[in-house]
Amino acid sequence: MLYRLLKFLFVFALCLAPLAIHAQTPAGKSYSSNKIERPAITAPQFPSPVTFTDITGQTKINFKHEASPTAQKYLLETMGAGVALLDYDNDGRLDIFFTNGAQLLDPMPKGKMPDKSNQKFWNRLYRQKSDGSFEDQTEKAGVKGTGYGFGVAVGDYDKDGFADLFVTHYGGATFYRNNGNGTFADAGAKLGIVVDGWATSAGFFDYDRDGRLDLLVTRYVVWDFETGALICGDTRPGYRAYCHPDNFKKTNALLFHQKADGAFENVSEKSGITQTKGKSLGVAFADFDDDGWTDVFIANDNSEQQLFRNLGGGRFEDSALAAGVAFDDKGKYFSGMGVDAADYDGDGRQDVFITALSNETYPLYRNAGEWLFDYATLTTGVAQNTIHGTGWGMKFIDADNDGKRDIFVAQGHVLDTIEKTTDFLKYKQPVLLLRNNGKIFQNVSLAAGDIFQIGLAARGMASGDLDNDGDADVIISQTNGAPIILRNNGTKNHWLGIDLRGGAKSAPNGEGARIVVTEASGRKQFFNQSNSGSYLAANDSRILVGLGNAASVKQIEIRWTSGKIQTLENPSIDRYHLIKEK
């Protein structure tokens, strides 16, 4: 307790200076106003045991995200786009949903909202066929969308066995109920879900362990087309930049609790989710203190990060400062964008990784227990591998199925003018693969496939097993560009797949369950079930367990949110297991 108090006081003291500085931020500040220094170190490259192949052309997906860029440099234009993996028709194959922008006028008249009527601005739903190609089902499914789109969440809120969609956009959100026949119905008004402001990421989870999915929605900043028309950066023609979030006010996330009748109530205030404000972009769910209650981590852009500890009884407490994750190791803000949680070091505790802006490095927080986190960015090799990058979507994935969680990051600078103000940063940046060797993260990107040498304006990212072959594939969405579909070419390592179905008192796909996989050797791997994490994205809800050269698994143990503990002894490997709560 003394150590925890001293750490709290130390971090608090560090935070006072940056808080005072940011409180006085002048209007018109751009991202390029930050001091940008050329990094003195270059990260070494290592061989990769796994490669990824760009199969976008083979999929027959012809989607292009339309950001509708203007001379006004509205901040909306550079912040999209989202992506989700889901099996909406229950045929055993993952489908893909993309969010899209909307038409912006240059400039936007007062009171005018972005127009999505032109089909090039529609959100898109692609159904995977048996040959691995995809067909556009957007119009048939009824999910063209409304507004300038951003994030997407997936969950079977009504437990009818079909995945529902929640899509955020500037000015609100749309809740699509899956009708079970290939179509969706807009059920938001009927369910009592009302969202305003600039909604970004969202996710389903069962925070009160009643077996019904609840919904958390993050919001970015208080912004409109009048206040957002600031002239930021260099005033020379062609040099105007997107404005820094410091020019706009913080806001709070929204939490909706699902009642017994299936409707939702806004419990944002009484739950404690509104106790702190941020500039929220990404969200991840995990039980960080292993008390059986799912906690919430929200990544905030140039604002303190938020870690809401679930106290039970419907209450949350923002414990980020006390836990040591509100700021970086120097007590400063950073540009939190995407976030994910997983146990990367095999100690049974869920750790946190956040993407950020160039020159900030990407924070990695190791869960040390006792509700304390260590800043592990420097000691794990992450710093030197991320100093140049601007990261958005990211996931902990076991890319090579060796039993250790690696890190995959989608990158691209926020400023499309950055190359005019620096000679070493690029707007389009290659994706990044950091391999976990058990001690540090090694950059294996250049050996992992041609795509890692191509610059992208990447934003959202989702991971899942598209071809059901037991390894993690990746889908990347680009702002104002076409998505990238990456096939994991696999290794000879063994694997195990887990697909959960909760009973009456647990979440439908086991959201919030704790899974422990014990190999014959005694090695254990720990998972918290969630399809959230990354940036504006929803991931494959199945759990992939890399086994390396292990020939067998001794046991799978599942602690459901109902409190039941269920075990599966000696499960066969190199296949998926559908496990229903008993």
Side-chain angles (χ1 to χ4, degrees), residues 354-371:
I354 308 171
T355 51
L357 196 64
S358 299
N359 251 48
E360 293 178 334
T361 72
Y362 304 162
L364 174 64
Y365 295 101
R366 177 183 172 273
N367 191 336
E370 300 295 325
W371 206 249

Side-chain angles (χ1 to χ4, degrees), residues 45 54 73 201 207 231 274 318 362 422 482 570 581:
Q45 292 283 332
D54 181 355
K73 292 291 183 178
S201 292
Y207 75 87
I231 297 178
T274 62
D318 187 0
Y362 304 162
T422 74
N570 303 310
E581 183 179 11

Side-chain angles (χ1 to χ4, degrees), residues 239-494:
Y239 280 73
R240 183 170 174 174
Y242 292 109
C243 290
H244 196 281
D246 276 3
N247 295 293
F248 311 106
K249 294 180 180 179
K250 300 177 182 179
T251 187
N252 58 272
L254 300 174
L255 179 61
F256 296 93
H257 171 251
Q258 186 179 172
K259 300 182 292 185
D261 63 0
F264 288 76
E265 60 178 331
N266 189 331
V267 296
S268 307
E269 187 169 352
K270 72 178 182 180
S271 68
I273 289 294
T274 62
Q275 65 189 274
T276 56
K277 294 183 177 182
K279 301 171 183 178
S280 304
L281 291 175
V283 63
F285 305 106
D287 182 2
F288 292 107
D289 53 358
D290 197 26
D291 64 352
W293 298 92
T294 301
D295 310 302
V296 180
F297 200 109
I298 298 178
N300 287 296
D301 189 359
N302 216 60
S303 175
E304 64 270 27
Q305 309 305 297
Q306 294 168 310
L307 175 52
F308 288 100
R309 187 177 191 176
N310 192 333
L311 304 176
R315 292 286 301 171
F316 289 86
E317 177 183 67
D318 187 0
S319 302
L321 185 61
V325 297
F327 304 94
D328 66 12
D329 60 328
K330 299 180 179 63
K332 295 182 178 180
Y333 291 148
F334 57 86
S335 305
M337 296 179 184
V339 60
D340 196 28
D343 176 21
Y344 80 86
D345 56 356
D347 64 358
R349 296 186 288 265
Q350 300 295 303
D351 312 298
V352 176
F353 185 85
I354 308 171
T355 51
L357 196 64
S358 299
N359 251 48
E360 293 178 334
T361 72
Y362 304 162
L364 174 64
Y365 295 101
R366 177 183 172 273
N367 191 336
E370 300 295 325
W371 206 249
L372 290 171
F373 289 76
D374 295 327
Y375 188 83
T377 305
L378 301 174
T379 58
T380 56
V382 169
Q384 63 177 333
N385 285 300
T386 62
I387 187 69
H388 270 161
T390 292
W392 300 83
M394 62 76 51
K395 285 296 290 178
F396 281 108
I397 64 171
D398 187 353
D400 54 358
N401 278 345
D402 68 349
K404 298 183 288 290
R405 248 58 65 84
D406 312 303
I407 297 174
F408 197 110
V409 186
Q411 301 187 124
H413 205 278
V414 68
L415 297 181
D416 57 1
T417 55
I418 191 64
E419 291 163 46
K420 296 181 178 181
T421 55
T422 74
D423 60 356
F424 61 92
L425 292 179
K426 301 294 183 182
Y427 172 58
K428 292 188 175 183
Q429 301 176 3
V431 291
L432 177 68
L433 178 59
L434 300 178
R435 181 174 183 254
N436 184 349
N437 73 356
K439 295 181 180 179
I440 63 171
F441 287 93
Q442 297 176 326
N443 191 341
V444 299
S445 302
L446 291 184
D450 293 341
I451 191 63
F452 293 87
Q453 301 183 51
I454 299 173
L456 303 174
R459 295 297 185 263
M461 173 204 151
S463 178
D465 188 1
L466 275 175
D467 47 8
N468 290 326
D469 65 350
D471 51 40
D473 308 302
V474 172
I475 298 87
I476 299 166
S477 60
Q478 294 194 80
T479 182
N480 212 44
I484 306 295
I485 317 297
L486 298 179
R487 182 189 66 210
N488 187 327
N489 295 319
T491 66
K492 295 181 179 179
N493 287 334
H494 294 295

Side-chain angles (χ1 to χ4, degrees), residues 516-543:
V516 182
V517 177
T518 305
E519 300 171 19
S521 65
R523 181 175 72 162
K524 295 179 183 291
Q525 295 189 50
F526 304 85
F527 302 85
N528 273 193
Q529 169 66 343
S530 173
N531 69 359
S532 296
S534 188
Y535 173 74
L536 306 180
N539 305 277
D540 188 350
S541 63
R542 299 173 297 179
I543 295 171

